[in-house]
Amino acid sequence: MGSGETMLVAMTVNGKAVSRDVDPRTLLVQFLRDNLRLTGTHVGCDTSQCGACVVHIDGNAVKSCTILAVACESSAVTTIEGLAAGGTLHPMQEAFREHHGLQCGFCTPGMIMTAVDMVNRRGPDLDEHTIREDLEGNICRCTGYHNIVKAVAAGAQAMGETAFKQAAE
Amino acid sequence: MSATGIGASVRRKEDFRFITGKGHYTDDINRPGQAYAYFVRSPHAHAKINRIDKAEAERAPGVVAIFTGEDIAADKIGGLICGWMIHSKDGSPMKAGPHPALAQGKVRYVGDHVAVVIAETYAQAREAGEQVNVDYDVLPAVVDTGSARSVGGEPVHEVAPDNTVFEWHLGNKPETEAAFARAAHVTKLDIVNNRLIPNAMEPRAAVGDYDDGADSFTLYTTSQNPHVARLVLSAFNGIAPENKLRVIAPDVGGGFGSKIFIYAEETVCVWAAKKVNRPVKWNSDRTEAFLSDAHGRDHVTHAELATDANGMMIGLRVHTTANLGAYLSTFSSSVPTYLYAPLLSGQYNIPAIYCEVDAVYTNTAPVDAYRGAGRPEATFVIERIVEVAARELGFDPAEFRRRNFVTSYPHQTPVIMCYDAGNYGASMDKALELIDYKGFPARKAEAQRRGRLRGIGFSAYIEACGIAPSAAVGSLGAGVGLWESAEVRVNPVGTVEVLTGSHSHGQGHETTFAQLVSERLGIPIDNVTIVHGDTDKVQMGMGTYGSRSGAVGMSAIVKALDKVEAKAKKVAGYVLEASPDDIEFKDGKFTVKGTDKEIDFASVALQAYVAHKFNGQDLEPGLKEGAFYDPTNFTFPAGVHICECEIDPDTGVTRIENWVAVDDFGIVINPMIVEGQVHGGIAQGVGQALLEGTVYNEDGQLLTASYMDYCMPRAYDFPSLKVETTETRCPSNPLGIKGCGEAGAIAAPPAVINAITDALGHENIAMPATPLKVWRAVQEVQPRMAAE
Ligand code: FES
Ligand code: FES
């Protein structure tokens, strides 16, 4: 921290307004982990390739190691901790558990956030090929991806059904 | 089978915290007042350190302290150890060079630890680290495995003037020579088993904490075996006696072997915590992980297989040079020796085998166990040479294997192992059916019409797991016993905690171990909690690696459960006023034989603690039992994997089209979890075969030190995998388990390369079979194919 100067940054994280004085070099992932102690978002690399750090910024999946916290001023950030609404697991979280889409769990938050974004972008009918291609930015060393692909497909379907139900209500 | 008992695909108990972001990995742990460590690492592969000037860095903002090898030496902190003694053919012990936690006088690989900077923030530590001035005399680097012994120049370690750690052998040389003398055919093959970088997704991390009131230490660390870490840190590094040192390995994000070892960074963090009297935290970044995590494999091998006129294998001889890197890591010496050569018999009846292994030092990162550890290297040798031999002799590769399979048990191989049970033909049959082997020629022809080259490759692997009988490994040089411990604590309300010396870092023990207890005690699985990874809770254990936690760790739980049941029967006897011999225990109920008098497990637990019904002199109150289980043999998982691939001759890109795995893991506790282990193993094996290559240049600079340069397998590299099992019970442990954690990584590489070489009609394809290598091979074979 060369000069020791800090900047005030304010944003909404998981629905809560937060603001902190930070070193302007602070990455969003550091802000989440170190300043807010939201340690569900992980750091698996230093070249923005592993996807362990994926969060949603204003509804879009972003690798939180690639963006400065101060660049997220006034944004709405959702992390893995904010995905389960009111204590009910998100359908994608359920699908990862149901289909054994995780082993050590380290890549999992990023995988789930990426998968939710995939469905938001492409809709609930995802074929295997699309899922595999779209997971390019997420590395898992444990699962061989087989069950992750199954989980994403099933989670996508479940998200579609949930959306359908909500629309019907 | 109950819904949560043995054999059920129970959904994992541990998943809730991981899918909600509530896991507790080491980097998630923060201690009040903690400072941060940054390691100054050598930029040179081989150099003398003339001087370290830290004055400027010490004045940098936020710096708390800077330590070097001198401080480590002054505090008499012992060097890092290698816990397995190997003797050379001539009887001399392996040549172990010194391995200080911070370099003393010399650095031996890029990434070697020179100094540690401790500061208020990680950024400050890192910035100050840039200002530590080290004056080096750069020496020529020894890099290449094959030529390490003959390069001359200054050796990596003084104790090994020609960079040779040991020259070891196994098997029977005269018998093997005799077999070759009468062979009808000899198949020869040169093989490089490429160096891999493990890359668990969670980088290594440590938080060292010192309590000056109690003069005791706590180390939070990314370990597969916290008790072994404590033992080594205490007995060899001299950090503190074991009763003053607690090691906690919380949630660990994958290990694959790389988190077995006791590294410099963790050692320094816990030592430095006392020096600065503050918690010291270190978290590896990915580049550091590439540089300093122990790598895997790195063998150069020449192999020869002798066959008789009937196509029966009669002899195998193998010469391997194994690169152990710059220092002997914790178990490095065992990997290319006793974890390797004893598996060279594969699934085959080969009467004579002789293997020589020369281990060398180079100026590269230390090499140690990585998923499979020695067994993938052995399997690659035997499964490649068998495939090549079948082709040379004009046999169908499945048929050639089958005629040489071991078919009766126990089967003593010429290289230590005694296979206790298996049915290799059954796995082969099932795999052939699942891949539709008969339909392959049509698929190949169809691919040809599309301009693609299609190939099929086999791998009939065997591994030795359930590591391992203590006396046996002791006689082979291990410094430790490889038993496992368990303690079953029944609470007064009938819920149960199981403390295990195994450690889960993705394997799902919190579920599978609970399944065992739930079934045995007839209690809901939610009433069972598995405790691991903390030396203050679990007294002692040997940790998780070598596919040992099912076969050895769960067997220890079975032993403890036997004792719990025996004691509970006594308690029930007092309550039901019957002799314990007349008490039966089934489905969670104790019944007096032949009567309807019964009491459930929870009530017996309560009675054990209130102790009103019996005299504490005759029967001690309480219900808690521990056990140590030492296996009687290795276990021998085996199976057949078949890979079908297609090559685009214009680009050299290989796509895997079909994958079939049929594995015999003995009794399976949770099929869902076992399949997941197989998937992950296959992915790592395919990574080795197609994608992952570690490249050092001639100066010893690691060129593949990031995910931009080291190709990790991605989701699109795989088809959907067909994974099935056959079952022969393992006779050497009470549950009949063989183990499944490493199978995929062991089986996969030869299956892939056999498929590619089948497609190309060209045997000389080195791993990783990148598009460039395959394309070059295509250029060589295409004129020949066109002429045919
Ligand atoms: S930590 Fe962000 S991509 Fe790896
Ligand atoms: S579950 Fe371990 S890295 Fe994906």
Side-chain angles (χ1 to χ4, degrees):
Chain A
M1 220 181 291
S3 61
E5 266 174 44
T6 59
M7 275 175 79
L8 182 70
V9 59
M11 64 183 87
T12 307
V13 177
N14 298 332
K16 270 200 244 138
V18 297
S19 67
R20 293 285 192 281
D21 273 315
V22 298
D23 178 343
R25 295 175 301 182
T26 305
L27 298 168
L28 177 61
V29 68
Q30 294 168 327
F31 181 73
L32 295 170
R33 289 184 56 81
D34 299 342
N35 296 78
L36 304 183
R37 294 284 189 244
L38 289 170
T39 54
T41 302
H42 296 152
V43 179
C45 73
D46 42 20
T47 51
S48 295
Q49 264 134 351
C50 75
C53 63
V54 172
V55 300
H56 293 178
I57 303 179
D58 299 326
N60 299 313
V62 174
K63 288 177 172 171
S64 62
C65 70
T66 62
I67 185 165
L68 294 169
V70 292
C72 301
E73 177 68 32
S74 308
S75 300
V77 174
T78 307
T79 71
I80 189 72
E81 289 96 338
L83 201 58
T88 315
L89 287 180
H90 187 280
M92 195 57 80
Q93 290 172 311
E94 277 290 6
F96 268 69
R97 176 163 67 180
E98 180 59 26
H99 295 276
H100 189 31
L102 62 149
Q103 291 181 21
C104 78
F106 196 78
C107 72
T108 311
M111 286 285 178
I112 291 175
M113 297 311 281
T114 299
V116 170
D117 178 69
M118 206 186 294
V119 182
N120 289 344
R121 283 184 292 113
R122 296 182 181 275
D125 297 315
L126 298 173
D127 62 30
E128 182 183 339
H129 181 80
T130 306
I131 296 170
R132 288 186 183 271
E133 293 276 325
D134 268 23
L135 286 177
E136 170 173 19
N138 292 73
I139 303 178
C140 174
R141 193 54 149 172
C142 297
T143 62
Y145 303 99
H146 185 98
N147 287 341
I148 291 180
V149 173
K150 278 207 314 210
V152 173
Q157 287 296 314
M159 279 173 72
E161 282 158 26
T162 312
F164 183 76
K165 263 191 233 143
Q166 279 166 356
E169 275 163 17
Chain B
M1 176 173 81
S2 78
T4 60
I6 291 172
S9 285
V10 179
R11 299 303 181 260
R12 298 202 320 171
K13 284 160 67 83
E14 45 271 83
D15 282 356
F16 184 81
R17 67 179 185 273
F18 295 131
I19 56 180
T20 54
K22 303 286 169 54
H24 284 288
Y25 300 90
T26 301
D27 190 34
D28 302 340
I29 291 166
N30 296 292
R31 304 294 301 156
Q34 76 190 9
Y36 295 80
Y38 170 78
F39 285 85
V40 177
R41 295 173 186 278
S42 171
H44 306 295
H46 199 186
K48 285 208 166 66
I49 300 174
N50 294 325
R51 209 165 59 89
I52 302 175
D53 179 1
K54 51 184 190 176
E56 188 187 344
E58 275 169 341
R59 289 192 297 271
V63 169
V64 175
I66 300 177
F67 300 118
T68 67
E70 276 179 22
D71 303 295
I72 288 270
D75 275 14
K76 300 198 166 48
I77 295 303
L80 310 183
I81 60 151
C82 178
W84 197 301
M85 171 53 74
I86 295 294
H87 287 89
S88 284
K89 290 176 228 185
D90 66 6
S92 62
M94 66 184 185
K95 302 192 168 64
H99 191 183
L102 293 172
Q104 287 165 9
K106 199 172 169 187
V107 286
R108 294 183 172 87
Y109 67 102
V110 173
D112 206 351
H113 323 80
V114 176
V116 62
V117 180
I118 298 163
E120 298 295 336
T121 70
Y122 179 71
Q124 288 173 330
R126 191 171 184 140
E127 274 162 25
E130 306 284 323
Q131 296 166 44
V132 174
N133 291 309
V134 187
D135 180 23
Y136 293 103
D137 267 349
V138 179
L139 299 163
V142 182
V143 178
D144 176 54
T145 308
S147 62
R149 309 178 67 195
S150 55
V151 283
E154 176 155 334
V156 180
H157 288 278
E158 263 171 43
V159 290
D162 60 355
N163 296 318
T164 305
V165 186
F166 55 75
E167 293 174 313
W168 175 88
H169 67 162
L170 186 70
N172 188 318
K173 190 173 183 181
E175 277 178 30
T176 308
E177 297 305 324
F180 275 84
R182 64 186 163 84
H185 184 81
V186 174
T187 301
K188 300 180 181 182
L189 198 60
D190 286 298
I191 285 170
V192 173
N193 203 291
N194 46 324
R195 179 185 280 238
L196 302 174
I197 303 180
N199 275 299
M201 290 317 296
E202 178 206 25
R204 282 188 295 124
V207 184
D209 202 350
Y210 175 67
D211 177 343
D212 61 352
D215 187 30
S216 70
F217 294 82
T218 303
L219 173 65
Y220 302 85
T221 183
T222 48
S223 174
Q224 299 177 218
N225 43 347
H227 294 87
V228 177
R230 183 175 71 157
L231 171 66
V232 172
L233 288 167
S234 176
F236 296 93
N237 306 123
I239 299 290
E242 281 173 288
N243 59 324
K244 294 284 188 185
L245 176 58
R246 177 181 188 184
V247 178
I248 299 176
D251 287 330
V252 172
F256 316 113
S258 69
K259 291 171 181 167
I260 297 172
F261 321 122
I262 293 62
Y263 290 91
E265 294 90 347
E266 292 85 330
T267 308
V268 168
C269 279
V270 67
W271 163 74
K274 181 174 180 181
K275 298 286 281 184
V276 301
N277 202 9
R278 287 173 66 168
V280 174
K281 180 170 184 172
W282 170 74
N283 190 48
S284 171
D285 65 27
R286 183 55 59 185
T287 307
E288 288 181 287
F290 273 104
L291 290 173
S292 69
D293 289 1
H295 295 178
R297 321 283 192 254
D298 204 340
H299 285 193
V300 175
T301 294
H302 177 76
E304 300 186 357
L305 178 68
T307 38
D308 69 12
N310 300 318
M312 302 305 289
M313 303 175 196
I314 56 172
L316 177 71
R317 61 185 168 207
V318 175
H319 182 279
T320 293
T321 305
N323 188 344
L324 296 185
Y327 299 98
L328 297 185
S329 172
T330 316
F331 288 113
S332 58
S333 53
S334 66
V335 177
T337 50
Y338 289 110
L339 293 176
Y340 171 64
L343 275 302
L344 284 170
S345 193
Q347 298 186 357
Y348 312 106
N349 193 349
I350 310 178
I353 299 178
Y354 180 63
C355 174
E356 293 174 289
V357 178
D358 301 333
V360 297
Y361 284 120
T362 58
N363 295 113
T364 62
V367 177
D368 205 324
Y370 168 61
R371 199 173 196 169
R375 291 151 290 168
E377 295 90 316
T379 301
F380 195 74
V381 170
I382 186 74
E383 284 307 288
R384 276 291 290 137
I385 202 162
V386 161
E387 191 95 3
V388 173
R391 289 169 189 165
E392 287 178 354
L393 296 170
F395 279 106
D396 173 89
E399 183 47 38
F400 182 60
R401 285 178 169 84
R402 198 193 299 275
R403 63 194 291 140
N404 283 284
F405 274 161
V406 169
T407 50
S408 66
Y409 303 88
H411 172 81
Q412 178 63 53
T413 72
V415 277
I416 300 177
M417 292 302 173
C418 184
Y419 300 166
D420 53 6
N423 186 348
Y424 309 144
S427 293
M428 179 61 91
D429 289 343
K430 195 163 176 180
L432 290 174
E433 190 189 312
L434 283 169
I435 200 106
D436 179 22
Y437 190 50
K438 288 201 188 78
F440 177 72
R443 295 196 293 278
K444 187 176 173 78
E446 186 275 332
Q448 207 158 11
R449 286 195 290 278
R450 284 183 286 112
R452 297 287 199 270
L453 305 171
R454 197 166 176 114
I456 193 163
F458 292 80
S459 175
Y461 75 96
I462 188 164
E463 47 173 334
C465 296
I467 290 174
S470 298
V473 294
S475 73
L476 303 177
V480 290
L482 290 171
W483 43 264
E484 196 46 87
S485 78
E487 187 178 318
V488 175
R489 296 182 180 169
V490 182
N491 297 315
V493 291
T495 59
V496 173
E497 283 130 29
V498 177
L499 287 73
T500 169
S502 299
H503 187 278
S504 184
H505 27 280
Q507 295 88 341
H509 297 170
E510 289 170 50
T511 306
T512 50
F513 289 13
Q515 285 179 251
L516 164 64
V517 177
S518 159
E519 173 161 311
R520 176 72 184 264
L521 299 180
I523 59 176
I525 195 164
D526 287 338
N527 288 3
V528 185
T529 299
I530 307 299
V531 178
H532 65 228
D534 182 342
T535 61
D536 262 15
K537 294 179 180 163
V538 180
Q539 182 244 339
M540 187 58 192
M542 295 311 295
T544 290
Y545 40 81
S547 306
R548 68 191 303 274
S549 298
V552 189
M554 290 181 88
S555 294
I557 298 174
V558 169
K559 261 186 96 175
L561 285 167
D562 289 343
K563 294 184 191 175
V564 164
E565 185 180 318
K567 169 119 187 234
K569 276 183 175 164
K570 286 186 190 157
V571 176
Y574 280 104
V575 177
L576 300 174
E577 295 169 339
S579 151
D581 297 336
D582 291 333
I583 304 279
E584 272 175 348
F585 181 57
K586 203 166 165 271
D587 300 329
K589 291 207 168 37
F590 297 87
T591 323
V592 182
K593 266 183 223 164
T595 75
D596 58 359
K597 286 211 287 182
E598 65 171 38
I599 178 170
D600 68 8
F601 181 75
S603 305
V604 168
L606 184 65
Q607 290 299 331
Y609 286 94
V610 298
H612 294 169
K613 304 274 187 194
F614 53 88
N615 179 338
Q617 308 303 313
D618 301 335
L619 184 66
E620 284 177 26
L623 195 51
K624 177 186 89 165
E625 299 288 346
F628 285 75
Y629 172 79
D630 201 348
T632 54
N633 192 359
F634 291 85
T635 66
F636 299 97
V640 172
H641 287 220
I642 305 177
C643 166
E644 206 172 308
C645 74
E646 251 182 50
I647 293 166
D648 179 343
D650 295 333
T651 61
V653 170
T654 303
R655 297 278 324 162
I656 294 172
E657 299 294 337
N658 282 320
W659 194 286
V660 163
V662 179
D663 302 291
D664 177 359
F665 297 135
I667 303 299
V668 166
I669 305 292
N670 183 322
M672 175 191 82
I673 287 178
V674 166
E675 277 175 35
Q677 289 291 311
V678 176
H679 297 150
I682 292 170
Q684 287 178 347
V686 169
Q688 166 160 36
L690 288 181
L691 308 166
E692 299 177 40
T694 304
V695 182
Y696 280 96
N697 73 5
E698 68 273 20
D699 298 327
Q701 293 293 334
L702 181 61
L703 302 184
T704 50
S706 81
Y707 289 149
M708 289 185 286
D709 311 294
Y710 186 89
C711 189
M712 292 285 282
R714 304 294 208 280
Y716 56 58
D717 293 315
F718 303 97
S720 199
L721 308 166
K722 283 199 195 95
V723 173
E724 301 222 4
T725 53
T726 56
E727 182 185 300
T728 59
R729 199 184 163 90
C730 175
S732 71
N733 62 62
L735 291 166
I737 295 176
K738 297 186 181 181
C740 66
E742 296 161 295
I746 292 169
V752 175
I753 300 300
N754 286 338
I756 294 176
T757 51
D758 177 55
L760 293 177
H762 187 304
E763 296 298 351
N764 189 14
I765 294 288
M767 298 191 289
T770 57
L772 178 63
K773 285 184 204 160
V774 172
W775 182 83
R776 281 197 179 128
V778 169
Q779 303 314 302
E780 280 179 43
V781 295
Q782 247 173 358
R784 204 169 73 208
M785 281 179 168
E788 273 163 16

